[in-house]
Amino acid sequence: MSIETPAKLQPTETFTPTSFDNSSFDKAVMSTYGRYAIALERGAGCRVWDTQGREYLDFVAGIATCTLGHAHPAMVEAVTRQIQKLHHVSNLYYIPEQGELARWLIKHSCADRVFFCNSGAEANEAAIKLTRKYAHTVLKIERPIILTAHSSFHGRTLATITATAQSKYQKHFDPLVPGFSYVPYNDFAAVEAAIGELDEGDYGVAGILIEPLQGEGGVRPGDVSYFRKLRQICNETGVLLIFDEVQVGMGRSGKLWGYEYLGVEPDIFTSAKGLGGGIPIGAMLAKKFCDVFQAGEHASTFGGNPFACGVALAVCETIEKENILANVQARGEQLRTGLKLIAAKYPQHISEIRGWGLINGMELNASTDLTSSDIVNAAIKEGLLLVPAGPKVIRFLPPLIVTEAEINQALDSLGRAFEQVTV
Ligand SMILES: *Cc1c(COP(=O)(O)O)cnc(C)c1O
């Protein structure tokens, strides 16, 4: 398996440490994020450097976005070409790059039509709107309800925090958006009961919005039998099956789409994070039968512009040409094997390793005092960037071009981080 990674940047040759003043940053920027005390300045492949010239192995990849790592030649070429040619016009006109990207996505998925936007939350908003219109015009439901799962994550707009069945994202932002109801994940009986109970009067279940693998909610893979049954009940009732592929899609699972893992096709699905390799872009994809939007009913100023689509197309073609999915599968196996060895060494702290391809989680025992933040902070000291998925799960999301040697290096660093926190 040969993956071409960009030549490693040599920060010592070109680099002068700069001072970074976080207190002036914190005075100017709203404190919506809890930040680690490092400022990242440059990157190449799976490595990034901070303003002090310290090197880190990046196993966050912009939270599952930088699929080709940093400064990949295919992205540098596409960004440069597109900004020189045409970067933004408007959907008042035909945009050739948008059509080309849509055709690539359709050729490589079960979808027939694509709508482009700029983020995951917007893609899910589009899916919610399409589902509601389908409910009103086809299913003849006056008050459509969309079922979503506990511990899900669907974004930060008002409708998508409502869809996200976790109170920590909703607190103080009520009144929430009506038309959502929650069920436990991987529990088919609960879905069956909800569809039965909620179909009353003007109300009716119109869609089930669900992640094939829950990312933010703790890296929890969907059960094959559960998803098969969801497909079956949707076929029987006409309820739309909508997959949120924002985190797990675009190759991260080792297949292009998470649903390929489950052997079930959605009617609608959404993509964003990895789609542009780190350039902001989102997409809502649907089968022809439920594409009920008409001109003027949904829009986005930036959605599908030549810049985002030209770069995303380069990312898609690179994933295909360089056979990156095979790398995702092999490196994922290698990573899980290594993580299980670390787990075997610390059975009192680590309870489970799980995931698909290069989206993996390490769950800490409920009984240990250790939190995912403790491990992430210790790993940063060892030069490894990781991200929590909740208080007890550590998430591993390297670029999809990660090499065998880089996985080994990350495992060594993580091993040292555990030594640090367990002494
Ligand atoms: C990140 C994420 C979103 C939200 O995407 P944004 O681009 O931050 O709006 C939605 N769904 C899932 C599964 C995600 O992981």
Side-chain angles (χ1 to χ4, degrees):
M1 173 82 262
S2 79
I3 291 276
E4 240 182 81
T5 47
K8 192 172 148 182
L9 264 187
Q10 294 300 331
T12 44
E13 283 172 19
T14 53
F15 182 81
T16 13
T18 51
S19 65
F20 180 80
D21 176 3
N22 16 345
S23 79
S24 69
F25 181 100
D26 289 337
K27 276 187 200 124
V29 180
M30 282 195 188
S31 53
T32 55
Y33 303 96
R35 293 181 174 86
Y36 298 100
I38 55 175
L40 299 174
E41 197 177 52
R42 65 186 69 203
C46 298
R47 286 158 207 281
V48 289
W49 287 268
D50 69 13
T51 46
Q52 301 303 302
R54 264 205 81 192
E55 181 178 307
Y56 302 87
L57 196 51
D58 182 7
F59 271 44
V60 177
I63 315 190
T65 61
C66 305
T67 50
L68 301 183
H70 303 279
H72 191 286
M75 282 191 78
V76 172
E77 193 279 324
V79 165
T80 309
R81 169 171 38 84
Q82 211 56 57
I83 201 80
Q84 289 174 341
K85 193 174 160 200
L86 189 66
H87 71 290
H88 181 74
V89 276
S90 161
N91 289 296
L92 288 167
Y93 315 104
Y94 282 93
I95 297 170
E97 291 85 355
Q98 187 181 132
E100 246 189 284
L101 178 60
R103 284 193 298 277
W104 192 94
L105 291 169
I106 288 164
K107 187 173 163 215
H108 293 86
S109 78
C110 64
D112 303 310
R113 299 263 198 281
V114 190
F115 170 82
F116 289 106
C117 49
N118 314 285
S119 67
E122 272 180 90
N124 287 331
E125 285 270 349
I128 292 164
K129 283 177 72 175
L130 186 66
T131 302
R132 285 186 171 190
K133 182 170 182 200
Y134 182 83
H136 286 290
T137 58
V138 180
L139 299 177
K140 309 291 180 199
I141 299 172
E142 229 8 76
R143 293 169 184 272
I145 292 166
I146 295 175
L147 296 182
T148 64
H150 293 157
S151 332
S152 57
F153 185 79
H154 299 297
R156 301 291 200 137
T157 62
L158 276 171
T160 57
I161 60 166
T162 311
T164 296
Q166 296 196 60
S167 52
K168 68 172 175 182
Y169 295 108
Q170 303 173 339
K171 196 179 165 200
H172 298 324
F173 299 123
D174 51 306
L176 296 174
V177 174
F180 291 90
S181 189
Y182 310 136
V183 287
Y185 193 61
N186 279 337
D187 178 349
F188 181 69
V191 170
E192 221 174 5
I195 290 178
E197 282 161 23
L198 295 168
D199 278 331
E200 210 186 297
D202 289 344
Y203 291 92
V205 175
I208 302 170
L209 168 61
I210 194 157
E211 296 157 89
L213 171 153
Q214 292 189 324
E216 301 298 314
V219 191
R220 282 171 221 290
D223 287 344
V224 171
S225 70
Y226 170 71
F227 273 81
R228 294 241 159 103
K229 286 180 199 157
L230 285 186
R231 181 66 274 174
Q232 200 179 341
I233 201 167
C234 287
N235 290 348
E236 287 161 11
T237 55
V239 168
L240 294 176
L241 188 56
I242 309 142
F243 288 171
D244 181 339
E245 292 262 3
V246 169
Q247 187 156 163
V248 77
M250 275 311 291
R252 178 132 311 262
S253 72
K255 303 191 185 281
L256 196 58
W257 305 110
Y259 68 73
E260 295 173 51
Y261 243 93
L262 299 166
V264 161
E265 290 185 357
D267 302 312
I268 300 172
F269 67 99
T270 55
S271 177
K273 288 193 166 86
L275 180 55
I279 297 293
I281 183 169
M284 188 262 295
L285 304 95
K287 297 217 170 169
K288 201 175 348 191
F289 82 90
C290 54
D291 171 24
V292 291
F293 277 156
Q294 281 164 9
E297 286 184 334
H298 195 52
S300 163
T301 297
F302 289 123
N305 80 14
F307 181 79
C309 290
V311 177
L313 187 63
V315 171
C316 290
E317 286 173 344
T318 303
I319 286 176
E320 194 176 7
K321 217 168 49 211
E322 296 189 1
N323 198 18
I324 282 174
L325 295 185
N327 189 60
V328 176
Q329 288 162 17
R331 299 289 72 83
E333 285 288 331
Q334 182 196 350
L335 177 62
R336 281 186 297 280
T337 303
L339 292 176
K340 281 175 189 165
L341 287 176
I342 294 174
K345 218 172 144 190
Y346 297 100
Q348 73 278 34
H349 297 299
I350 304 169
S351 60
E352 197 183 20
I353 305 300
R354 57 177 179 251
W356 295 342
L358 287 173
I359 178 162
N360 292 288
M362 170 185 267
E363 177 142 24
L364 299 173
N365 277 330
S367 57
T368 174
D369 287 340
L370 283 181
T371 64
S372 49
S373 296
D374 296 335
I375 306 300
V376 171
N377 280 308
I380 287 178
K381 288 193 195 136
E382 297 298 332
L384 173 65
L385 301 184
L386 298 172
V387 59
K392 287 289 185 185
V393 179
I394 305 137
R395 207 168 5 158
F396 301 82
L397 303 164
L400 307 186
I401 58 165
V402 69
T403 63
E404 189 175 355
E406 286 164 337
I407 295 276
N408 285 332
Q409 188 189 329
L411 289 165
D412 287 347
S413 303
L414 184 70
R416 284 196 302 276
F418 267 95
E419 279 169 28
Q420 247 188 69
V421 296
T422 54
V423 287

